[in-house]
Amino acid sequence: MRGHGTSEHRFAADVLAGFDPADPYTATAAIGRHRGSYADALDAAALGRARIGVLRQAFGSDDDFRAQGVNRVVRAALDKIASTGAELVDVTIPDLDDYVAYTSVYFSRSRADIDAFLASRPGIDAASVSQLYAEGRAHPNLDLLAGIATGPATPAEDPEYHGRLEARERFQRIVIGVMAQNGLDALCFPDVRIAAPRHEDVLASRWTCLEFPTNTVIASQLWMPSVSVPAGFTGEGLPVGLELMALPYHEADLLSLAYGVEQATRSRRAPDLPTVG
């Protein structure tokens, strides 16, 4: 994270955050307590004062060779975080995987949302996601798109939709309760349980989209802020991310913790890209 402590540097969040009368979702800015620049609010020392829950349920199995490298990198990053003075606490979220599976509304909402987007862009040569799918204009391995195109046209057509939303609220209460009970500033876990798959794995449909062992859906389905920070690299040179998740509207605190993790691990490495021209 760059630009700490100087008024001429800003995060994209400084531009995006705040109330916009044209977007009713931004009314939540009235709830958030942060004011001013997120960059100026960064405090690397906050990590050393923090109490962070380690969600080991979200780690891949050490019996899976694809997860072993990720787990090794994340555990090494956690050791560096602990060396700052941060207190790490193992915690458990009851029925985590069941809640993540049930509270997904990709197939419930996406068709209506994408169709509305396409309708608002007359320059796009498609009227609907179902048209794109029917005309074969998407890669056949995009099973998520296939599910959206053949799924409910509107959320109301999914008989489980309102149950999923109610479960999301219950899921959030459980997670916030665990954080409150343990006095946590954040939860952390690998952002994906395995290293990046090979092309042949994807093309062979080794996983469906919804079965791929990613953890990035946890925070989004909880409506809680999260950030992925570089944790290091596997023995094959594949990058591994550590995700931090905080309480709702605690983005400024979360970014300070992420900044502290970056300073503690120094794991970011610029990609080796070929020179053009």
Side-chain angles (χ1 to χ4, degrees):
M1 297 182 184
R2 298 181 178 180
H4 175 226
T6 58
S7 59
E8 66 270 18
H9 291 90
R10 290 291 181 267
F11 284 154
D14 291 336
V15 179
L16 295 173
F19 176 61
D20 179 356
D23 183 356
Y25 285 96
T26 64
T28 55
I31 302 173
R33 63 182 181 177
H34 177 69
R35 299 292 183 272
S37 168
Y38 285 98
D40 291 342
L42 289 180
D43 177 10
L47 180 63
R49 303 188 295 268
R51 186 173 165 89
I52 299 175
V54 181
L55 193 60
R56 298 194 187 273
Q57 289 165 282
F59 284 55
S61 171
D62 281 320
D63 294 331
D64 184 343
F65 75 93
R66 296 165 301 176
Q68 291 170 1
V70 171
N71 291 346
R72 185 164 49 250
V73 170
V74 170
R75 287 168 183 151
L78 292 176
D79 287 342
K80 293 177 181 178
I81 291 169
S83 71
T84 69
E87 187 174 358
L88 303 182
V89 183
D90 283 358
V91 295
T92 299
I93 305 298
D95 303 316
L96 174 65
D97 289 339
D98 291 339
Y99 272 113
V100 169
Y102 185 65
T103 58
S104 173
V105 293
Y106 281 124
F107 293 149
S108 306
R109 286 209 58 95
S110 296
R111 184 173 170 185
D113 289 343
I114 295 173
D115 286 354
F117 172 82
L118 293 173
S120 70
R121 301 294 193 278
I124 297 178
D125 182 24
S128 67
V129 66
S130 58
Q131 177 191 342
L132 291 170
Y133 177 69
E135 294 176 354
R137 294 165 64 183
H139 195 285
N141 286 85
L142 293 176
D143 58 285
L144 180 60
L145 182 66
I148 291 170
T150 59
T154 67
E157 292 185 11
D158 176 8
E160 295 289 328
Y161 179 64
H162 294 291
R164 297 181 197 280
L165 294 185
E166 192 280 330
R168 276 191 171 193
E169 293 188 359
R170 185 166 64 250
F171 187 22
Q172 190 191 73
R173 286 196 298 272
I174 290 171
V175 173
I176 291 176
V178 168
M179 294 181 69
Q181 183 177 0
N182 290 277
L184 302 178
D185 298 290
L187 290 171
C188 73
F189 41 86
D191 56 14
V192 183
R193 299 185 187 191
I194 63 172
R198 299 180 182 276
H199 287 163
E200 53 264 32
D201 289 329
V202 175
L203 296 177
S205 298
R206 187 167 188 171
W207 307 272
T208 67
C209 182
L210 295 183
E211 290 173 342
F212 187 74
T214 179
N215 292 321
T216 55
V217 297
I218 295 174
S220 62
Q221 290 175 207
L222 281 167
W223 293 309
M224 294 172 67
S226 68
V227 60
S228 181
V229 182
F233 294 82
T234 67
E236 296 179 317
L238 295 173
V240 175
L242 177 70
E243 186 155 346
L244 297 167
M245 182 175 73
L247 293 167
Y249 310 109
H250 282 232
E251 287 86 355
D253 297 334
L254 176 65
L255 291 171
S256 278
L257 293 178
Y259 180 64
V261 170
E262 284 187 339
Q263 303 308 303
T265 62
R266 296 288 179 179
S267 296
R268 183 183 179 278
R269 189 167 73 205
D272 184 15
L273 301 176
T275 302
V276 178

